[in-house]
Amino acid sequence: MMVVEVAFALPTEQKIIALQVDEECTAYEAVIKSGIVEVYPQIDPENDPMGIFGKSIRDPKTTVLKNGQRVEIYRPLIADPKEARAKRAAKMKAQKEAEEKAARD
């Protein structure tokens, strides 16, 4: 037997469940066994992306865990990271231009 954790986070809260599993337990099996889906019914273990300590895993059903690892269930992104970065850059550019204009006037 070994101890692993299953984690899920929302913008306002997070839940980490520690559980004992067999040596050959997969990430998917740990998620099911943890019961986290009962706490957060929006989790879809069949389709939601998962990772171990922030590193994405391709197939949770075949990824065997090691003692002490934490399986993370990821939520879908609300905003495209490239779009968000472009918006921040445009905002910073506009702010800088306004400051330069104010300094000239």
Side-chain angles (χ1 to χ4, degrees):
M1 293 293 269
M2 59 183 183
V3 176
V4 297
E5 295 178 331
V6 174
F8 181 70
L10 293 170
T12 55
E13 64 181 287
Q14 72 173 4
K15 182 97 172 150
I16 299 174
I17 299 171
L19 63 149
Q20 282 196 326
V21 295
D22 294 327
E23 296 290 327
E24 295 298 311
C25 183
T26 66
Y28 173 83
E29 291 166 344
V31 168
I32 299 303
K33 187 175 180 185
S34 74
I36 200 162
V37 177
E38 281 76 51
V39 180
Y40 298 102
Q42 67 266 47
I43 295 173
D44 177 3
E46 298 297 326
N47 298 303
D48 285 351
M50 296 181 200
I52 297 173
F53 291 128
K55 292 192 106 172
S56 183
I57 52 178
R58 256 181 223 265
D59 186 1
K61 289 186 177 182
T62 61
T63 302
V64 177
L65 298 173
K66 294 182 180 120
N67 190 40
Q69 286 186 321
R70 181 178 61 230
V71 179
E72 300 159 341
I73 305 158
Y74 302 127
R75 292 178 288 119
L77 293 175
I78 294 170
D80 176 19
K82 287 182 183 176
E83 254 180 57
R85 190 168 48 247
K87 283 182 184 175
R88 283 194 309 272
K91 183 178 176 184
M92 292 299 287
K93 183 179 178 188
Q95 207 172 12
K96 186 176 178 187
E97 287 172 355
E99 288 171 4
E100 288 173 355
K101 185 179 187 290
R104 283 194 307 262
D105 293 344

